[in-house]
Amino acid sequence: MSTSNPEATPPPSGAAEHAAVDAALADLAEGEKNWADLSLSERGKLLDKVHDLTVQHAADWVDAAVGIKGLDPKSPLVGEEWMSGPYSVATATAALSASLAKLEAGGSPLDGATFGTAPGNRTTVKVLPLNIFDKLLLSGFSAEVWLQPGIDRATAQRDAGLAQRDPSHTRGIGVVLGAGNITSIAPLDTLYELIAHNRVVALKLNPITDPLLPVLTRVLEPLISVGAVRLLTGGADVGTYLVHHQQVDHVHMTGSALTHDAIVFGTGEEGARRKAANEPILGKEISSELGGVSPTIVLPGEWSHADIKFQAEHIATQRLHNGGYNCVAAQAVVVSSEWRQRNEFLAALRDALDRAPNRSAYYPGSDTRVAGAVASFPKAERLGKNGRRVLVTNLDPGEYEPLLQTEYFAPVLGVIDLPYQGNEFARRAAQFVNDDFVGTLGVNIVATPQTIRSMGSAFDSFVESLQYGTIAINAWTGVGYLTATATWGAFPGHTVNDVQSGIGVVHNALLIDRPERTVVRGPFRPSPRSVMKRELSISPKPPWFVNNRTAATTGRLLTAFAGAPSWKRLPAIFASALRG
C-alpha cells in the first residue's frame, strides 16, 4: 500500500478538545506492554471471559439494539438483533480462544482441518460444519475458505495464527471505526485487530450505536482492564482527530467508500486531486470493509411453485434484513429474460417485498436515498405499507448504471434481464457482475440442484470466475458473516485509490493467512421439501428470513447455546425453528 511520508500527515489539532482521545491512547500505549507480556493461554482466558459476559449481557445488548432501530420488542424481527449481535460475538470469541489454545500447544489453528481443492490451483479449508452441533443446527449448510492460488496445505498450516505466532511482538495501537448498522461489527473488528494483528485497540463507536456503550463496556471489560481496549464516542471531529493522531499505527473502518476516501485523501477538490494522484494524507495503513452493490444471480431451471415462493422470500430477505441497511444486502437480481418462469418469479418477489414486516427507517438518510432511486427510475414500484420499499424492473441496458454503481443502503431492489440461457447465461452473468457492479464484498447464486448438476464442471468454473470476497450458493452471504471461522471482506487486490469494497479481511477465527474468498452453500429447499427431493438437509426456513415467525425466540435460544453448547438445549431450538 502506498502511503505518504510522515511529514505529509496533518498534525492533530484541538488536543484540549479531545482530551479523552489523548487519555485513551496514553492508556493503550501502557496497555500494549501488558498485552505483550500475556501468554497465549492468558489471552485465551480473557477471550473466554468476554464470551461469558457476552451471553450474560445479551438481553441488554438486544434491548439497546431494539431501541436504536425502533423495533417492536415483541416482533420476530428482534431475532436479527440476537443473531447479528451477541450470538456472533459469542461464537467468535469461542473460536478465537480455540485457535489460541492450539497455538499454545505448539500446533496450528488448522490442525485437524479438512482441506480440499478448487479450480485454479487453489487449496480450500472447510470452516462449516466443524462439529456435530454445526451439522445439526445448520443442516445442509457448509462453508469453505479458498486460499489464494498456489498456497498448499502445508503452507496454510504453517502460517495460520497470523500475529499470534509471535505474541510478544505487538504492533502498536490500532483504531477501529465502528459501523452503525450491525451491532456485532465493532466488537468483532476490535477482536480481529487485537488477535490477528496483535495491536491494542481504540474503538470509536458510530454515533448511531452510542446507546450500546454501557453494554459493550461490560462485555469487553476483561480486555479493557488489561489496557488492551479503550472505547470512545463522538462525532466526525473525534474520528478525524483520532485516525490522524501520531500515536495511532493503523486504522480499520467499516462504512462507505466516500468516508474512506475522506479519511485517506481529504475532501473537496483537493481530496479528489490527491486521490487521482494517489497522494494520501493519512500517514499510516488502513484496512476497510466498505460494502458495494451486491448481486444475486438466479440461474434458470425448472422450479415448483413452492420453490418460487421460498426463493422469492429468500431474496427479499437478502434485501430487507436489518431494514436494508447491510453492506452486503442484495441490490440487483440478475435473471434470464429467456427463463419461462421469469414472470412468475418476479410476481412472487414483488409479493414477498410487499408483504414483509413493516419497520422504521432508522438509518440516517434512508428516505433521501429511496427518493433518489425513485428519481432515477420513475417507473419504480413503491411497496410495503409505508411505500418505503422500491422495486425496479424492466430496465433497458442504458438505464442500469445508477442501480449498479450506487449503493443505496436502503430497501431498493432492481432486476436486470440478460438474454441468455444455460451455461452461457452463467458465463455472461459472471462477467456482468464482475465488470459492471461497484464493489466485491458478496454475491449470491440461486440454482436448483438439478441445474448445478447439469452444468458439471462449468458450474465450478462459474463460481471460480466470480471476483467476490464471499460467494453464497443457495444461501445468503450473510451466513458467511455469521460464521466466525469464515473470512469476511472484499476480494483481494484493491488499493486505497480504488478501494471498492475495502482492503483486508476480518472474522477469520482460524487466523488463516492469505485467504481469497469464502464460499457458502445451502439447501435450495427447506425441510420437509428438501428431504422429499433427496437434498441432504433437514433445515426448516432459516431464522434470519424476515418473515420467520419465531426468529426472536430462536435467536435467543441460539445465543444461549453459543454460551454453553449442550445436547439438552437442542430440542427447544429445533421446536422453535420448526414453528418459524
Side-chain angles (χ1 to χ4, degrees):
M1 177 186 299
S2 172
T3 61
S4 61
N5 59 45
E7 287 77 19
T9 303
S13 60
E17 181 181 357
H18 299 300
V21 173
D22 293 334
L25 295 178
D27 289 347
L28 289 169
E30 290 300 311
E32 183 182 3
K33 301 172 187 176
N34 296 336
W35 183 250
D37 288 338
L38 294 176
S39 67
L40 289 170
S41 61
E42 289 171 325
R43 295 178 183 193
K45 289 176 182 177
L46 291 175
L47 290 175
D48 293 340
K49 290 179 181 179
V50 172
H51 169 272
D52 293 345
L53 288 167
T54 297
V55 178
Q56 180 182 335
H57 297 291
D60 291 337
W61 183 324
V62 171
D63 286 346
V66 165
I68 291 168
K69 299 182 181 183
L71 291 174
D72 179 349
K74 298 180 180 179
S75 170
L77 292 172
V78 174
E80 295 179 357
E81 303 312 317
W82 282 101
M83 288 177 281
S84 65
Y87 171 81
S88 298
V89 174
T91 56
T93 45
L96 285 168
S97 178
S99 289
L100 294 188
K102 287 185 176 181
L103 289 167
E104 175 76 1
S108 164
L110 294 182
D111 288 346
T114 299
F115 290 84
T117 59
N121 190 28
R122 290 174 173 88
T123 298
T124 66
V125 182
K126 180 187 285 187
V127 295
L128 180 75
L130 292 180
N131 54 51
I132 185 61
F133 290 138
D134 287 347
K135 292 178 181 178
L136 291 171
L137 291 172
L138 286 167
S139 174
F141 288 87
S142 65
E144 295 176 327
V145 171
W146 290 21
L147 306 181
Q148 294 177 22
I151 299 173
D152 60 18
R153 172 177 179 165
T155 302
Q157 285 185 290
R158 182 195 67 208
D159 294 345
L162 300 177
Q164 294 304 311
R165 294 169 61 226
D166 186 6
S168 64
H169 179 208
T170 55
R171 301 181 181 185
I173 297 174
V175 162
V176 169
L177 300 179
N181 56 341
I182 296 295
T183 61
S184 61
I185 292 177
L188 288 176
D189 291 354
T190 297
L191 291 171
Y192 197 71
E193 187 77 357
L194 183 64
I195 302 299
H197 299 296
N198 215 19
R199 283 187 281 262
V200 293
V201 183
L203 166 60
K204 184 200 167 293
L205 297 180
N206 186 297
I208 296 172
T209 63
D210 280 354
L212 280 167
L213 178 63
V215 174
L216 292 181
T217 300
R218 293 196 295 271
V219 165
L220 297 175
E221 189 279 333
L223 301 173
I224 294 170
S225 67
V226 298
V229 171
R230 286 293 181 269
L231 304 182
L232 296 165
T233 59
D237 59 325
V238 174
T240 300
Y241 178 72
L242 177 62
V243 299
H244 289 286
H245 201 288
Q246 62 184 5
Q247 284 189 275
V248 170
D249 297 283
H250 183 270
V251 176
H252 177 80
M253 64 161 293
T254 301
S256 71
L258 288 175
T259 300
H260 170 275
D261 289 350
I263 291 171
V264 175
F265 298 106
T267 59
E269 292 183 3
E270 178 62 14
R273 185 199 66 77
R274 285 184 171 275
K275 180 179 177 182
N278 196 20
E279 297 175 352
I281 61 172
L282 186 69
K284 59 204 71 174
E285 288 193 342
I286 183 170
S287 56
S288 52
E289 190 264 83
L290 305 175
V293 174
S294 294
T296 294
I297 300 171
V298 178
L299 299 184
E302 294 295 324
W303 295 19
S304 70
H305 294 304
D307 294 337
I308 287 175
K309 183 176 185 293
F310 176 76
Q311 291 299 343
E313 293 173 351
H314 188 188
I315 294 173
T317 291
Q318 294 172 7
R319 175 68 267 183
L320 298 180
H321 182 278
N322 192 37
Y325 313 118
N326 285 337
C327 52
V328 77
Q331 185 168 297
V333 185
V334 182
V335 301
S336 168
S337 59
E338 309 302 306
W339 183 28
R340 69 174 185 83
Q341 293 179 293
R342 171 195 178 276
N343 292 341
E344 183 182 359
F345 168 73
L346 292 190
L349 180 59
R350 181 181 294 107
D351 185 63
L353 291 167
D354 192 46
R355 293 166 60 89
N358 195 38
R359 63 199 306 165
S360 64
Y362 79 88
Y363 205 89
S366 176
D367 287 343
T368 299
R369 293 189 295 275
V370 167
V374 173
S376 296
F377 305 107
K379 296 181 182 178
E381 300 175 68
R382 304 291 294 262
L383 302 173
K385 291 182 180 179
N386 54 21
R388 283 194 169 114
R389 298 168 195 156
V390 175
L391 177 64
V392 184
T393 59
N394 300 314
L395 292 173
D396 294 326
E399 300 174 300
Y400 292 167
E401 185 174 357
L403 184 66
L404 310 185
Q405 293 294 309
T406 304
E407 183 187 8
Y408 285 112
F409 213 69
V412 176
L413 183 67
V415 177
I416 302 292
D417 292 289
L418 297 183
Y420 308 100
Q421 300 185 65
N423 292 2
E424 181 67 5
F425 171 79
R427 188 181 71 82
R428 296 277 191 162
Q431 182 180 20
F432 179 54
V433 302
N434 283 340
D435 295 347
D436 290 19
F437 283 56
V438 66
T440 64
L441 186 60
V443 58
N444 311 288
I445 302 166
V446 179
T448 67
Q450 182 180 3
T451 296
I452 294 173
R453 287 194 299 268
S454 69
M455 290 181 66
S457 61
F459 184 80
D460 297 330
S461 298
F462 165 56
V463 174
E464 180 201 7
S465 70
L466 292 165
Q467 297 176 1
Y468 285 81
T470 299
I471 301 169
I473 303 164
N474 290 330
W476 176 37
T477 48
V479 178
Y481 177 92
L482 291 174
T483 302
T485 45
T487 56
W488 186 253
F491 196 78
H494 301 316
T495 59
V496 289
N497 65 333
D498 184 20
V499 75
Q500 296 282 319
S501 289
I503 297 169
V505 300
V506 289
H507 302 187
N508 188 24
L510 297 178
L511 303 175
I512 296 169
D513 189 36
R514 288 171 289 172
E516 182 185 60
R517 68 184 91 183
T518 289
V519 177
V520 178
R521 299 174 191 266
F524 180 72
R525 303 173 179 93
S527 181
R529 288 194 301 111
S530 58
V531 177
M532 296 167 59
K533 293 291 184 178
R534 298 183 181 180
E535 287 189 73
L536 298 177
S537 171
I538 57 171
S539 289
K541 178 186 292 184
W544 53 84
F545 269 42
V546 293
N547 63 347
N548 188 299
R549 295 171 295 183
T550 60
T553 300
T554 304
R556 175 175 54 79
L557 293 171
L558 284 171
T559 302
F561 181 89
S566 166
W567 290 98
K568 294 186 295 183
R569 295 182 184 271
L570 293 180
I573 296 173
F574 291 149
S576 178
L578 289 169
R579 293 194 303 270

